[in-house]
Amino acid sequence: GSIDPKAAAPYACSGLTTYSALKKAGSAIQRSEILIIGAGGLGLMCVQLLQLMGGKGAIIVDIDAKKRQAAIEAGARAALDGNAADLRAQIQSTLGGGAQVVIDLVGSAATASLAVDSLAKGGKYILVGLFGGSIDIPLPIIPLRVLTIAGSFVGNLAELTELLELAKSKGLPSFPTTSCSLHEANDNLRQLSEGKIIGRAVMIP
């Protein structure tokens, strides 16, 4: 429709993926701040969509200082260093306890362990990232702490339609994008693999 294609492109990628994950969190996003692991293109979009959806707020974790700063600029209340020795204590202190919702946009063994450890009783862990690995969870803690573990993979056409209508009705937030032409694609992919892209790169024919 009337949305600039450069602005709309990330909504069909990181937008749909994080919108679908946030929907799986349900009304919990309005009741308490959530923990987001990863401040890449998905994480920055997740922070902004949370605001459009009436969420209470977000704390974000990332190992890259530039991405943590971008998360603050996107609207996160706090951005914590994923390499901090006392990270779990920082999360508890910043949230004032455990998280009701953790959205893991990395999906490694380390982030999954962090996510489960950071949940409050009755909390929900939503795994989106596909980095890989495995996690060893003592089974009794799941019923004893009444935890929910859910996977979320991209989204569907109905959710994309909802997302674009939400963006049109409430205004597109300022999302960091880097534009490039098709002949610059290899250079941009290299920067992406090196973790140098903040937000999303949009190739324009």
Side-chain angles (χ1 to χ4, degrees):
S2 60
I3 301 177
D4 183 335
K6 178 185 171 184
Y11 281 84
C13 178
S14 54
L16 176 58
T17 300
T18 52
Y19 178 73
S20 185
L22 286 165
K23 283 193 68 177
K24 290 177 176 67
S27 62
I29 65 172
Q30 281 93 37
R31 296 195 303 269
S32 61
E33 289 183 314
I34 70 171
L35 177 65
I36 299 170
I37 302 176
L42 288 170
L44 298 182
M45 181 67 81
C46 194
V47 169
Q48 294 188 325
L49 288 184
L50 179 66
Q51 297 171 65
L52 285 186
M53 297 168 71
K56 190 167 183 179
I59 305 302
I60 201 159
V61 171
D62 200 278
I63 60 174
D64 187 302
K66 290 182 179 179
K67 291 179 181 177
R68 292 198 301 273
Q69 180 57 39
I72 293 295
E73 293 170 1
R77 182 171 71 83
L80 307 178
D81 184 354
N83 284 326
D86 62 342
L87 178 57
R88 284 164 171 76
Q90 286 189 42
I91 290 171
Q92 289 281 328
S93 175
T94 306
L95 287 172
Q100 289 298 322
V101 175
V102 179
I103 298 180
D104 182 358
L105 303 171
V106 178
S108 69
T111 60
S113 177
L114 175 67
V116 173
D117 288 349
S118 300
L119 286 172
K121 186 173 183 178
K124 188 171 190 176
Y125 169 38
I126 301 172
L127 175 58
V128 178
L130 301 172
F131 186 90
S134 60
I135 183 173
D136 182 14
I137 304 175
L139 293 179
I141 76 166
I142 297 177
L144 288 173
R145 291 173 55 195
V146 201
L147 303 182
T148 299
I149 299 174
S152 186
F153 185 67
V154 193
N156 56 49
L157 184 57
E159 288 173 330
L160 179 58
T161 302
E162 291 174 11
L163 172 58
L164 290 176
E165 289 304 317
L166 179 67
K168 288 178 183 177
S169 65
K170 296 200 172 181
L172 288 164
S174 177
F175 182 74
T177 57
T178 300
S179 299
C180 68
S181 61
L182 291 180
H183 76 268
E184 296 173 304
N186 286 339
D187 182 55
N188 271 266
L189 285 171
R190 184 173 61 255
Q191 291 184 56
L192 182 66
S193 70
E194 294 171 354
K196 295 179 179 178
I197 298 290
I198 302 296
R200 276 286 185 261
V202 179
M203 288 189 292
I204 302 176

